[in-house]
Amino acid sequence: MEAALSGVWYVLEGEPGEHLVMEALGRRLSGVWTDRALAERFLVFHPELGMRVSPLESRALKEAFLRALGMLKVEAVLVDYQPGAHQARLVRLEDLLEEVRRA
């Protein structure tokens, strides 16, 4: 797994089982941040979400998170996305899940 994604992930959570899901260009996406401050900065732009930043430190938690996104029909994950950015790194959910399983 690439170095940036081999450490702790920070994700946005609401109520139990509720994760951030965005739609762009007809695709369902979610987000993963490699730095807590980046995830919190995203929430500053979207306080109406009422979500909190949660760390995923273990392989098991990362896999459970990705499986939950799959059940929500998420296709890909944006890594370290910030509002207003013109580009963001996109990783297909299936590819990321396979990497986590091999780690």
Side-chain angles (χ1 to χ4, degrees):
M1 182 179 309
E2 64 182 84
L5 291 172
S6 64
V8 177
W9 294 357
Y10 297 92
V11 299
L12 303 183
E13 293 183 314
E15 297 300 318
E18 181 183 38
H19 301 293
L20 175 69
V21 176
M22 305 171 272
E23 291 197 25
L25 301 173
R27 296 180 77 184
R28 291 178 62 88
L29 310 169
S30 191
V32 167
W33 289 265
T34 58
D35 181 277
R36 182 179 205 94
L38 291 174
E40 289 172 353
R41 190 175 315 139
F42 179 89
L43 282 180
V44 167
F45 284 94
H46 297 288
E48 73 280 0
L49 293 174
M51 299 183 121
R52 64 190 170 281
V53 176
S54 297
L56 300 178
E57 298 180 24
S58 71
R59 185 198 60 78
L61 286 175
K62 291 174 182 179
E63 184 174 350
F65 171 72
L66 295 172
R67 291 169 52 90
L69 292 182
M71 290 189 292
L72 294 170
K73 307 287 189 237
V74 168
E75 300 171 53
V77 173
L78 292 166
V79 179
D80 292 334
Y81 174 70
Q82 291 299 302
H86 296 291
Q87 292 185 336
R89 187 166 46 151
L90 186 73
V91 181
R92 286 179 1 124
L93 186 68
E94 294 171 6
D95 294 341
L96 192 52
L97 186 55
E98 185 62 34
E99 286 292 321
V100 167
R101 287 178 176 155
R102 282 189 278 173

